[in-house]
C-alpha cells in the first residue's frame, strides 16, 4: 500500500475499510454458497478475490476503543473472508478500556517471548523447541521488497477476457430482440454471467454511475460491441452521444458500425439536443406505425403483420448531466424530451442508457425521470452517489473497490435487487478487431448499411463528407441552379450541411468575419468550388481579389483552385482593383437598363477586404448618386446594394468588426443579409448578428446568421481543403467539361 499508517485516526479509517471489505465478501461472494473465500476462489478463476494481511507493530499503541473493537471483529471473522492478522503485542502498553485480550488470543496463533527464544503459548510439549528462521540480510530484503513492489503495481486489476461473453463466429447476428434484449456484460459470482436485460416489464432504461477510472466507458464499449456481434442492425440500433472531453465513441464512426445511426464525439449540447429530437421523431413514427396495425409493442407489431423492421433503439449518453449545466432552452428542451422518451419509449422499443460520474449537484436530470429508470448499474463511486443511484437504504456500491467491479440492480435500486459482478475487460485492439468483423460481415450481406452520421466536436468539418457537393460534382449541370448555394460547414444538428443561399434580391451577399486568414480562406475556397459545381461553364463568372504577393502560399493555393475550374475566373490583386471594379460598375449599369438579361451570374470574392485600402470608406455619406461608381469603394457599395437583384453577388471576408465598419459602413453592411462570424467580443457579436453568442464560441465553431429568415445557426466550418481535394475537383470538371478552359 506504499506507506505505513501511524496515527490513531488512520487506524480507525483503515480498520473500517477492512470491515467493509469483509462485509462485501460475505454479501457479494460467499453468501450461502461458499464457506470461505478459498472455496470461492477455487472456482472463480479471473475474478478470484485477493487475500489481505493486516500487520500491526506495537499494539495497542495509538489504538482507540473504536479501532480495538474493529480489530477484534477482524480477528474473529476475517479468516473466512481472506483477511488475516499479524500482530506484535507490546505488553508494556495498557490496552484500551473494555478491551479483553483473550478475545484476540483465542482467534490467533500466539507466540510468546521466552528467555532466549519464542514459544507457542498454547502448545509447548517437553523437549520441543521453536526455531525461527533467521531474518534476511538488509541488502537482500531491500532488493526483494523492491521487486515485489514493482510486480504488484497492477495487482488490484482484475481482467476477465471479453472472449468469455462474446459469441462464437458461427453465431454472428443470430439473436432476436423482439421479446427482450439480453447481452452478457461480465461475471457474476464464481461461475455465472451477468446480463443486461432490457425490454420486459418495467426494466426498460438504464442508469450507470461510476467515478473516473471505474470502468464506465469500458462498460459502454462492452454493451455496444457485444450487441453488434450478436444482433443484426434489424434487431438493434444505437444513437451514441459522448459529452466527455475525449473520443470514446470515435471508433464506431471510424469503423462505420452498421448498427449506429448517430455517433457524437465530444458533443455540443445543441447537437445532443438534436439527437434527442431525432429519437423523439422516431418514437412518434413508430407510434403511428403501431396504431395502424393495432399493436402496443414490437412483438404485437410483428404478430399483426407489420412488415418494416423495428430494431431495439438504444440511446446511450455518457456524462448526460452536461445537458443541464446551464439554465437555457437546451437544458429545458433536453429535460422534456428525455422525460418523454423514458416514459413513452418502452412501448416502441426505444431505451435510454445514461452514464455519469456523479448524480449529485444541481445540474442533473429530474428525479421523476430518474425514477423511471429501473435498471441501475453502480461502479466505484463515493457514498453520496451510492445512495443516489440506488435506493436510500442501499449503500452497497460504497464497498466497490476496483475498476470494473459493479452492482447490477433491476429493482430501481432496492437492496434485494443487488447483483454484484465484474465487467469483462475489452482492450482497444480486441474491440477494433470485433468491429472489423462486424463491418466485414455487413459488407458481405445483401443489405446496404452505410454507417452512422458522425459529429466530431473536437475537429473541424471535412468537406469530403459533404454529400450535396459530391452529388453536384458527379453530374455536369445543364442549367443554372435555382437558387445557387454555398456550403459553409457541418451543422450542429442532424440535418444537411449549413448553407448560404444566394437569391436574386437585395441582401443576397455573404460576409465572413474571422481573424484567422486560414479560416476565411477555407470558406472562400469551398464557396468557389460549391458555386462552380452548380453552374455550367458559360453560366457563371468569378472574380477573386487577394492582395497577398504572387509567391505567397495563400496566392499559390488560390491559383491552384482557380486552375481547377473550367469557368471564367479572374484572380486579381490591388493593382487590378480599379479597372475591374470599373468594369463591374459598367456591367451593373447595363443590367439595370435591361441589357444583358441573359448574362452569366457574377460572384465577386474578396479575401481580406481590410487589405484593400482603395475599398475603404471613411464616410458612408460622402457618395452621392452622381458620384456612384467613380471610385473602387463607391463601385463596391453600388455592387453590394444593387448587384444581387441583377445576378451579381459579393462574398467578402474581413478580420474584425472595426474593419467591417471602416470598409463597408452601416449602409453596405445592411446589404449582407448572410453573415458568418467566428469567436469575437460580445459587443462586436451583438453589432454583427444581434446576439452576443459569438463570444462563447469554441475552437472549430462558427455562427451563420441569416437576417432575412431571422435564424442563427452554430456549425463547424470546413477545414482548409488540401491540394489533393482540389485535384479531385479538377478531375471531376475535366470529365464533365471536355472543352478546355
Amino acid at each position: 500500500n506504499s506507506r505505513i499508517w501511524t496515527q490513531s485516526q488512520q487506524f480507525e479509517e483503515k480498520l473500517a475499510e477492512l470491515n467493509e471489505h469483509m462485509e462485501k465478501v460475505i454479501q457479494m461472494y460467499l453468501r450461502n454458497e461458499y464457506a470461505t473465500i478459498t472455496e470461492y476462489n477455487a472456482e472463480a478463476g479471473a475474478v478470484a478475490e485477493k487475500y489481505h494481511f493486516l500487520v500491526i507493530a506495537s499494539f495497542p499503541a495509538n489504538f482507540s476503543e473504536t479501532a480495538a473493537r474493529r480489530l477484534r471483529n477482524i480477528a474473529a471473522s476475517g479468516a473466512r473472508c481472506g483477511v488475516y492478522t499479524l500482530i506484535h503485542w507490546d505488553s508494556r502498553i495498557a490496552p484500551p478500556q473494555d478491551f479483553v485480550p483473550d478475545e484476540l488470543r483465542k482467534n490467533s496463533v500466539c507466540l510468546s517471548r521466552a528467555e532466549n527464544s519464542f514459544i507457542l503459548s498454547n502448545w509447548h510439549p517437553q523437549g520441543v523447541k521453536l526455531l525461527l528462521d533467521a531474518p534476511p540480510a538488509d541488502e537482500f530484503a531491500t532488493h526483494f521488497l523492491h521487486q515485489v513492489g514493482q510486480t504488484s503495481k497492477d495487482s488490484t486489476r482484475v481482467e476477465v477476457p471479453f472472449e468469455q461473453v462474446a459469441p462464437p463466429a458461427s453465431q454472428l447476428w443470430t439473436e432476436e430482440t423482439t421479446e427482450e434484449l439480453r447481452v452478457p456484460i461480465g461475471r457474476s459470482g464464481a461461475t455465472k454471467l451477468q446480463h443486461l436485460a432490457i425490454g420486459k416489464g418495467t426494466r426498460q432504461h438504464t442508469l450507470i454511475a461510476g467515478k473516473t477510472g471505474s470502468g464506465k466507458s469500458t462498460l459502454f464499449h462492452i454493451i455496444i460491441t457485444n450487441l453488434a456481434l450478436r444482433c443484426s442492425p434489424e434487431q438493434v440500433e444505437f444513437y451514441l452521444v459522448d459529452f466527455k472531453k475525449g473520443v470514446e465513441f470515435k471508433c464506431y464512426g471510424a469503423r462505420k458500425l452498421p448498427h449506429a445511426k448517430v455517433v457524437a464525439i465530444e458533443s455540443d449540447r445543441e447537437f445532443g439536443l438534436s439527437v434527442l429530437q431525432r429519437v423523439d421523431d422516431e418514437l412518434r413514427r413508430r407510434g403511428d406505425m403501431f396504431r395502424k396495425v393495432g399493436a402496443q409493442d414490437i412483438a404485437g407489431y410483428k404478430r399483426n403483420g407489420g412488415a418494416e423492421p423495428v430494431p431495439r433503439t438504444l440511446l446511450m449518453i455518457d456524462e448526460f448531466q452536461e445537458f443541464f449545466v446551464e439554465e437555457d432552452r437546451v437544458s429545458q428542451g433536453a429535460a422534456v424530451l428525455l422525460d418523454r422518451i423514458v416514459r413513452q419509449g418502452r412501448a416502441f422499443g426505444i431505451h435510454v442508457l445514461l452514464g455519469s460520474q456523479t448524480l449529485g449537484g444541481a445540474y442533473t436530470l429530474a428525479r421523476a425521470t430518474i425514477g423511471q429508470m429501473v435498471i441501475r448499474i453502480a461502479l466505484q463511486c463515493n457514498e453520496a452517489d451510492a445512495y443516489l443511484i440506488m435506493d436510500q437504504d442501499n449503500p452497497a456500491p460504497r464497498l466497490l473497490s476496483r475498476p470494473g467491479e459493479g452492482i447490477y440492480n433491476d429493482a430501481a435500486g432496492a437492496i434485494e435487487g443487488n447483483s454484484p459482478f465484474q465487467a469483462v475487460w475489452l482492450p482497444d485492439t480486441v474491440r477494433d478487431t470485433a468491429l472489423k468483423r462486424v463491418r466485414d460481415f455487413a459488407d458481405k450481406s445483401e443489405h446496404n448499411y452505410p454507417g452512422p452520421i458522425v459529429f466530431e466536436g473536437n475537429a473541424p468539418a471535412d468537406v469530403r463528407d459533404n454529400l450535396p457537393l459530391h452529388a453536384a460534382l458527379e453530374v455536369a449541370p445543364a442549367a443554372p441552379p435555382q437558387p445557387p448555394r454555398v456550403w459553409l460547414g457541418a451543422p450542429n444538428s442532424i440535418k444537411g450541411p449549413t448553407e448560404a443561399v444566394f437569391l436574386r434580391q437585395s441582401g443576397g451577399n455573404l460576409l465572413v468575419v474571422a481573424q484567422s486568414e486560414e479560416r476565411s480562406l477555407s470558406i472562400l475556397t469551398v464557396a468557389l468550388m460549391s458555386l462552380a459545381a452548380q453552374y455550367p461553364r458559360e453560366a457563371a463568372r468569378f472574380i477573386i481579389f487577394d492582395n497577398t504577393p504572387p509567391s505567397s502560399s495563400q496566392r499559390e493555393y488560390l491559383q491552384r483552385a482557380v486552375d481547377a475550374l473550367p469557368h471564367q475566373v479572374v484572380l486579381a490583386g490591388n493593382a487590378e482593383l480599379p479597372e475591374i471594379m470599373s468594369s463591374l460598375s459598367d456591367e451593373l449599369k447595363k443590367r439595370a437598363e435591361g441589357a444583358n438579361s441573359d448574362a452569366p451570374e457574377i460572384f465577386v470574392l474578396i479575401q481580406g477586404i481590410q487589405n484593400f485600402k482603395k475599398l475603404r470608406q471613411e464616410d458612408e455619406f460622402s457618395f452621392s448618386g452622381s458620384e456612384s461608381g467613380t471610385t473602387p469603394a463607391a463601385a463596391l457599395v453600388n455592387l453590394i446594394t444593387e448587384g444581387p437583384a441583377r445576378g451579381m453577388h459579393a462574398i467578402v471576408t474581413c478580420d474584425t468588426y472595426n474593419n467591417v465598419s471602416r470598409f463597408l459602413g452601416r449602409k453596405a453592411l445592411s446589404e449582407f443579409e448572410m453573415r458568418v462570424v467566428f469567436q469575437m467580443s460580445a459587443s462586436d457579436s451583438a453589432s454583427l448578428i444581434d446576439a452576443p453568442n459569438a463570444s462563447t464560441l469554441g475552437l472549430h465553431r462558427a455562427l451563420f446568421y441569416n437576417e432575412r429568415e431571422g435564424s442563427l445557426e452554430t456549425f463547424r466550418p470546413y477545414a482548409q481543403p488540401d491540394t489533393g481535394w482540389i485535384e479531385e475537383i479538377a478531375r471531376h470538371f475535366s470529365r464533365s467539361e471536355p472543352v478546355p478552359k
Side-chain angles (χ1 to χ4, degrees):
N1 293 311
S2 77
R3 67 166 296 172
I4 297 168
W5 307 102
T6 59
Q7 303 300 315
S8 181
Q9 185 178 351
Q10 294 170 348
F11 290 3
E12 291 185 10
E13 290 174 1
K14 294 302 165 186
L15 292 172
E17 288 176 11
L18 275 176
N19 273 276
E20 288 181 348
H21 169 75
M22 289 161 52
E23 180 185 340
K24 179 184 80 170
V25 168
I26 292 170
Q27 289 190 5
M28 294 186 181
Y29 305 130
L30 302 183
R31 299 185 178 180
N32 61 348
E33 297 179 47
Y34 304 98
T36 66
I37 199 66
T38 305
E39 289 184 20
Y40 171 85
N41 284 348
E43 296 185 26
V47 294
E49 187 63 34
K50 65 183 178 184
Y51 296 99
H52 291 66
F53 289 86
L54 171 61
V55 183
I56 303 174
S58 300
F59 175 80
N62 288 345
F63 264 74
S64 64
E65 290 186 25
T66 301
R69 187 171 62 253
R70 289 171 178 169
L71 174 61
R72 186 180 61 207
N73 189 47
I74 291 170
S77 307
R80 184 189 176 207
C81 305
V83 179
Y84 303 101
T85 57
L86 297 172
I87 303 171
H88 162 235
W89 190 315
D90 189 337
S91 57
R92 297 171 298 179
I93 303 174
Q97 193 174 2
D98 297 332
F99 182 77
V100 181
D102 285 343
E103 292 185 2
L104 200 57
R105 290 192 181 105
K106 70 181 182 183
N107 293 300
S108 306
V109 175
C110 301
L111 284 160
S112 298
R113 178 70 170 148
E115 288 187 10
N116 297 314
S117 63
F118 282 90
I119 60 170
L120 285 164
S121 300
N122 301 326
W123 188 80
H124 39 84
Q126 191 73 19
V128 175
K129 284 188 177 181
L130 176 65
L131 301 177
L132 301 182
D133 288 346
D138 289 348
E139 185 179 340
F140 172 84
T142 302
H143 176 71
F144 177 75
L145 290 173
H146 179 73
Q147 280 187 308
V148 171
Q150 290 294 319
T151 309
S152 68
K153 278 187 176 178
D154 292 325
S155 63
T156 57
R157 194 177 189 90
V158 173
E159 294 184 1
V160 180
F162 178 70
E163 290 74 17
Q164 291 193 11
V165 298
S170 61
Q171 294 179 16
L172 219 61
W173 288 16
T174 57
E175 293 196 10
E176 274 273 334
T177 62
T178 302
E179 298 293 337
E180 185 182 31
L181 182 150
R182 278 177 64 84
V183 58
I185 56 176
R187 289 271 298 276
S188 178
T191 56
K192 300 173 185 174
L193 292 180
Q194 178 64 58
H195 287 78
L196 171 66
I198 292 177
K200 277 193 175 181
T202 59
R203 300 186 295 275
Q204 303 291 335
H205 310 288
T206 304
L207 195 59
I208 303 172
K211 65 183 182 182
T212 302
S214 64
K216 177 166 54 67
S217 297
T218 301
L219 185 57
F220 271 115
H221 287 307
I222 293 163
I223 295 169
I224 297 166
T225 306
N226 210 3
L227 279 174
L229 289 167
R230 292 171 176 272
C231 305
S232 69
E234 286 76 27
Q235 297 297 324
V236 66
E237 65 184 16
F238 302 112
Y239 289 80
L240 307 176
V241 181
D242 182 13
F243 282 117
K244 273 199 308 190
K245 305 303 179 189
V247 289
E248 287 297 341
F249 291 155
K250 187 172 184 176
C251 55
Y252 305 112
R255 293 287 180 182
K256 294 184 177 179
L257 181 68
H259 306 70
K261 293 294 185 183
V262 175
V263 176
I265 307 155
E266 198 175 323
S267 180
D268 272 352
R269 296 168 69 241
E270 291 85 354
F271 187 83
L273 183 62
S274 77
V275 175
L276 294 183
Q277 289 165 341
R278 171 65 70 91
V279 174
D280 188 56
D281 291 343
E282 176 66 11
L283 187 152
R284 296 173 188 274
R285 187 184 74 84
R286 291 189 182 187
D288 294 338
M289 285 168 47
F290 284 21
R291 277 191 292 274
K292 285 179 183 177
V293 298
Q296 294 185 347
D297 55 21
I298 293 178
Y301 174 77
K302 293 185 177 180
R303 279 196 306 270
N304 294 0
E308 186 177 335
V310 185
R312 296 274 178 183
T313 298
L314 297 188
L315 169 62
M316 307 177 74
I317 307 176
D318 199 5
E319 303 305 337
F320 74 92
Q321 74 278 0
E322 286 294 316
F323 269 130
F324 310 103
V325 294
E326 294 179 33
E327 190 63 41
D328 57 7
R329 65 167 189 86
V330 175
S331 64
Q332 293 167 2
V336 170
L337 287 169
L338 269 174
D339 190 66
R340 181 157 63 234
I341 293 168
V342 166
R343 291 178 187 275
Q344 300 178 14
R346 55 178 295 181
F348 309 112
I350 297 175
H351 312 283
V352 179
L353 286 83
L354 301 180
S356 178
Q357 290 184 22
T358 177
L359 298 177
Y363 305 128
T364 190
L365 196 56
R367 296 303 299 179
T369 308
I370 289 178
Q372 297 287 323
M373 310 191 73
V374 169
I375 302 173
R376 313 286 176 87
I377 300 178
L379 302 166
Q380 273 183 289
C381 56
N382 61 41
E383 190 164 348
D385 281 324
Y387 286 109
L388 285 172
I389 190 172
M390 296 297 184
D391 188 89
Q392 60 183 2
D393 299 321
N394 186 1
R398 66 188 169 83
L399 303 175
L400 301 172
S401 59
R402 61 174 180 252
E405 187 181 28
I407 294 176
Y408 181 94
N409 185 301
D410 58 7
I415 194 165
E416 60 269 19
N418 286 355
S419 175
F421 75 100
Q422 176 69 43
V424 296
W425 171 238
L426 180 59
D428 293 351
T429 52
V430 175
R431 182 192 64 216
D432 290 343
T433 301
L435 295 178
K436 184 177 184 303
R437 279 176 61 198
V438 170
R439 186 67 247 180
D440 291 345
F441 195 78
D443 291 339
K444 292 173 184 175
S445 71
E446 58 188 20
H447 299 283
N448 178 33
Y449 301 115
I453 298 169
V454 179
F455 176 90
E456 191 168 357
N458 57 355
D462 188 345
V463 72
R464 286 183 171 85
D465 297 331
N466 186 319
L467 298 180
L469 176 55
H470 184 73
L473 289 166
E474 288 294 327
V475 181
Q482 295 297 332
R485 59 198 68 226
V486 164
W487 291 289
L488 303 168
N492 242 30
S493 59
I494 303 176
K495 67 175 193 62
T498 300
E499 59 185 24
V501 179
F502 290 84
L503 302 173
R504 278 207 172 200
Q505 57 191 34
S506 63
N509 304 298
L510 174 65
L511 174 66
V512 180
V513 184
Q515 292 193 351
S516 165
E517 286 190 358
E518 182 180 335
R519 290 174 177 174
S520 58
L521 181 62
S522 300
I523 288 183
L524 209 68
T525 306
V526 175
L528 176 65
M529 297 303 186
S530 300
L531 293 166
Q534 298 168 70
Y535 279 96
R537 179 176 180 267
E538 67 285 345
R541 288 174 53 203
F542 301 97
I543 298 167
I544 306 171
F545 289 109
D546 175 59
N547 201 31
T548 54
S551 59
S552 68
S553 58
Q554 179 171 306
R555 176 58 74 89
E556 290 176 355
Y557 180 81
L558 278 171
Q559 189 63 56
R560 277 194 291 270
V562 167
D563 294 341
L565 305 182
H567 304 70
Q568 183 181 347
V569 187
V570 175
L571 178 58
N574 208 33
E576 299 90 351
L577 181 69
E579 181 184 349
I580 294 175
M581 292 307 298
S582 178
S583 68
L584 286 172
S585 186
D586 294 340
E587 175 68 20
L588 183 58
K589 286 179 184 176
K590 290 178 184 177
R591 297 191 181 193
E593 293 166 359
N596 292 0
S597 58
D598 59 345
E601 204 91 358
I602 295 176
F603 292 90
V604 179
L605 291 79
I606 304 176
Q607 166 64 359
I609 192 174
Q610 72 276 3
N611 298 320
F612 294 89
K613 291 184 179 180
K614 294 175 183 176
L615 296 179
R616 181 169 176 169
Q617 301 173 61
E618 293 294 349
D619 181 3
E620 61 182 291
F621 299 106
S622 65
F623 301 106
S624 64
S626 60
E627 295 175 321
S628 181
T630 58
T631 66
L636 176 63
V637 170
N638 208 28
L639 174 71
I640 290 168
T641 54
E642 306 296 333
R646 297 175 174 87
M648 301 173 71
H649 306 274
I651 301 176
V652 177
T653 73
C654 190
D655 57 352
T656 64
Y657 172 67
N658 284 340
N659 279 331
V660 169
S661 300
R662 291 191 187 104
F663 282 79
L664 295 176
R666 287 194 301 274
K667 179 184 175 184
L669 178 60
S670 68
E671 296 297 327
F672 286 90
E673 291 189 342
M674 298 178 291
R675 303 171 195 173
V676 173
V677 297
F678 287 78
Q679 190 170 30
M680 60 180 60
S681 70
S683 59
D684 287 353
S685 174
S687 300
L688 280 167
I689 61 174
D690 295 334
N693 301 31
S695 63
T696 59
L697 287 174
L699 194 63
H700 311 310
R701 295 291 188 282
L703 288 167
F704 175 55
Y705 171 69
N706 190 319
E707 189 173 39
R708 184 178 298 275
E709 296 181 3
S711 62
L712 185 63
E713 178 184 345
T714 306
F715 71 99
R716 288 184 303 136
Y718 292 122
Q720 183 170 319
D722 56 29
T723 53
W725 182 75
I726 293 175
E727 290 168 3
E728 289 176 27
I729 297 289
R731 287 194 290 273
H732 277 290
F733 282 125
S734 65
R735 287 197 295 270
S736 59
E737 293 283 349
V739 181
K741 184 175 174 182

